[in-house]
Amino acid sequence: MEHTLKHESNRSGSTGFWLVALGAALWGIGPLFRINLLDYMTSTQIVLIEHLLVCLVAVPILWKNRSELKSLRLKHLLPLLVISWGGSALATVIFTMALSSGDLNAVVLLQKMQPILAILLAKLILKESLPKRFGILFTIAIIGTYLLTFGFTLPFSAESEWVKIGSLLSLLAAALWGGSTVMGRLLLGQVQYKTVTSLRYVLALPLLLAMIWIEGAPMNLPEAGLGLAGIGVNLLAQALLPGLLSLLLYYKGLSTTKASMATLAELSFPMMGVLVNWLAFGQMVTVSQLIGFVLIWTALFFFARQQQNSSEQHELRPAA
């Protein structure tokens, strides 16, 4: 009986890693909807409507789990603000702006800078220890990241997108999302992942409304017909797939996955983004990007296996 319970706990940790990867992969289909919407709305307007749609689901969840909110204290205010204002509002607006300001692949692929900040924060704030052979596997992932981002060119060469505004905005979004990953792991020790996800959207609304008021830009919507219906479908799909569903999967997996491991699982986001850019927008994947895919997925696979094997050895170790 005891061995069965340990085995189930072990499998839960491995499953959590892949739930994080699946949730992050759904983020990668976001450009499919956002780029079409940018013809009619500003980045802030898109993100606000997305949040309002998700709140139709998030508010009932918060009401149902309102007893959990009593466990939150003043010390949890900063993590909540980082997740909602930083990771949900600002990062999403900035990333949407980046999609209209630079090469799609460069913007999406630069999201692999997230692990650097998040792993450092996980070490400093959550006191998480780094896994064995972390340096080697992380180096493999970073090499894959470089190839996906710059190919076989130098970062500051004429062919590079690094110094363009879209890339700079993408890097800023990556930093905010990286910090949100660590803070989300911190809050999951207090409330369920569904509650964290709901708080992320609800608490972002005041900031987004203030940004809309300051922006003062009108929407450029078609009067009626298929065009307006298409905008509605895009907004709904954006809110539910790379929005709500991805975060529910992500936080469910994060509840059993270390933040340092979760940041590596999140590399599935830019990889899915490259695939979408290729299939939907005709931006072909290069040889260097294919090599980068292989390297990153290799690192992810061995990290997941290492996490599972480490859990098995720990659980099967006899008690003193």
Side-chain angles (χ1 to χ4, degrees), residues 54 57-58 61 197 201 238-249:
V54 173
V57 178
I61 291 176
T197 304
Y201 281 96
Q238 170 63 39
L240 295 181
L241 294 178
L244 182 62
L245 179 59
S246 67
L247 282 176
L248 288 175
L249 290 171

Side-chain angles (χ1 to χ4, degrees), residues 115-130 178-179 182-183 186 258-260:
I116 296 176
L117 176 61
I119 288 177
L120 290 175
L121 288 174
K123 176 72 173 177
L124 295 173
I125 298 175
L126 304 184
K127 309 301 181 184
E128 292 187 355
S129 59
L130 298 178
V182 177
M183 294 303 183
L186 188 62
K258 293 171 63 174
S260 54

Side-chain angles (χ1 to χ4, degrees), residues 18-280:
W18 291 111
L19 285 175
V20 172
L22 179 58
L26 285 175
W27 297 339
I29 68 175
L32 189 62
F33 309 112
R34 292 186 186 278
I35 290 175
N36 293 327
L37 293 171
L38 283 169
D39 292 333
Y40 307 98
M41 307 175 190
T42 67
S43 300
T44 311
Q45 290 167 348
I46 293 171
V47 176
L48 174 62
I49 295 175
E50 171 192 343
H51 278 64
L52 288 172
L53 289 172
V54 173
C55 280
L56 296 177
V57 178
V59 170
I61 291 176
L62 283 179
W63 177 255
K64 180 181 178 181
N65 299 339
R66 61 189 182 277
S67 60
E68 295 182 22
L69 302 180
K70 298 178 182 178
S71 65
L72 296 176
R73 298 292 182 266
L74 185 61
K75 66 180 181 180
H76 299 122
L77 179 60
L78 178 60
L80 283 171
L81 289 179
V82 171
I83 290 172
S84 59
W85 289 20
S88 192
L90 291 176
T92 311
V93 170
I94 291 169
F95 180 73
T96 305
M97 293 171 60
L99 291 174
S100 62
S101 305
D103 177 79
L104 292 181
N105 280 340
V107 168
V108 171
L109 294 174
L110 280 170
Q111 292 307 306
K112 281 148 342 280
M113 295 298 291
Q114 289 183 37
I116 296 176
L117 176 61
I119 288 177
L120 290 175
L121 288 174
K123 176 72 173 177
L124 295 173
I125 298 175
L126 304 184
K127 309 301 181 184
E128 292 187 355
S129 59
L130 298 178
K132 294 180 180 179
R133 294 185 292 277
F134 178 84
I136 296 175
L137 292 175
F138 185 68
T139 299
I140 292 174
I142 290 299
I143 293 173
T145 294
Y146 184 93
L147 290 174
L148 279 167
T149 306
F150 304 115
F152 300 115
T153 64
L154 295 175
F156 298 99
S157 65
E159 295 84 0
S160 175
E161 287 287 330
W162 180 274
V163 295
K164 293 189 177 179
I165 186 63
S167 298
L168 294 176
L169 290 172
S170 184
L171 283 171
L172 180 55
L176 290 169
W177 274 324
S180 181
T181 296
V182 177
M183 294 303 183
R185 185 72 173 89
L186 188 62
L187 282 176
L188 286 174
Q190 299 293 323
V191 294
Q192 297 182 59
Y193 72 94
K194 292 180 181 178
T195 305
V196 174
T197 304
S198 300
L199 284 170
R200 176 188 181 113
Y201 281 96
V202 172
L203 294 179
L205 288 179
L207 178 61
L208 288 170
L209 288 170
M211 292 170 66
I212 288 288
W213 180 73
I214 294 172
E215 190 177 70
M219 292 186 184
N220 184 28
L221 299 177
E223 294 183 0
L226 293 178
L228 189 60
I231 292 174
V233 170
N234 269 341
L235 283 169
L236 188 61
Q238 170 63 39
L240 295 181
L241 294 178
L244 182 62
L245 179 59
S246 67
L247 282 176
L248 288 175
L249 290 171
Y250 173 79
Y251 279 120
K252 173 65 173 176
L254 194 62
S255 64
T256 57
T257 306
K258 293 171 63 174
S260 54
M261 298 294 294
T263 56
L264 293 165
E266 288 171 18
L267 293 176
S268 60
F269 163 41
M271 293 194 309
M272 177 61 73
V274 168
L275 185 61
V276 168
N277 292 343
W278 176 32
L279 296 178

Side-chain angles (χ1 to χ4, degrees), residues 7-30:
H7 181 66
E8 290 297 326
S9 176
N10 191 24
R11 278 176 33 183
S12 176
S14 179
T15 301
F17 180 91
W18 291 111
L19 285 175
V20 172
L22 179 58
L26 285 175
W27 297 339
I29 68 175

